[in-house]
Amino acid sequence: MVTYQEKEQLVKFLFDKRNRILALSPYQVNDSDRRKSDELFDRINYAYRHCEVEHRKILENEFILHMNKDWWYDYYSRSTYYRMKQRAMDEFLHCLE
């Protein structure tokens, strides 16, 4: 069984990888590495796009935009936020399979 912290680390790693790929210049990598990077980028984006809207909001604010850690206070109670974040990470990882 994967823990909440392990899921969070994995999702963070994947979105960090996505963000680094997005920032790459075409001149920084060879064609083979670029193709692999593009495939990973596409898979991550596919999984993200196929998540529910509310889950995408959490994933975007947490892992893409790196918003202030308290960004969710105006939207959710603490228990709702952590439950929704857990579901968002589960859905995202499921879509990657």
Side-chain angles (χ1 to χ4, degrees):
M1 185 80 168
V2 180
T3 67
Y4 176 88
Q5 288 83 11
E6 291 169 333
K7 284 181 195 175
E8 186 175 38
Q9 287 174 348
L10 177 57
V11 172
K12 181 181 181 330
F13 170 80
L14 290 168
F15 277 106
D16 286 348
K17 190 79 163 163
R18 175 204 172 271
N19 294 341
R20 282 194 300 275
I21 292 169
L22 192 58
L24 279 178
S25 162
Y27 305 107
Q28 291 176 299
V29 292
N30 64 41
D31 287 342
S32 174
D33 289 342
R34 184 59 174 183
R35 202 168 17 264
K36 290 176 189 172
S37 293
D38 288 346
E39 288 173 14
L40 178 60
F41 182 84
D42 290 345
R43 286 191 64 147
I44 292 169
N45 280 344
Y46 173 87
Y48 171 74
R49 283 192 319 269
H50 284 81
C51 290
E52 293 179 23
V53 172
E54 202 63 28
H55 293 167
R56 284 198 311 261
K57 177 180 176 180
I58 291 172
L59 293 170
E60 180 176 2
N61 286 323
E62 286 291 319
F63 303 108
I64 296 174
L65 300 177
H66 302 286
M67 296 292 284
N68 178 326
K69 66 178 182 137
D70 301 332
W71 69 266
W72 52 270
Y73 282 9
D74 293 335
Y75 303 99
Y76 312 106
S77 68
R78 180 178 304 275
S79 60
T80 299
Y81 166 71
Y82 283 106
R83 184 175 54 253
M84 293 288 290
K85 185 175 176 183
Q86 173 79 36
R87 289 178 184 163
M89 292 187 301
D90 287 343
E91 183 178 27
F92 172 75
L93 293 172
H94 179 75
C95 286
L96 280 176
E97 294 178 349

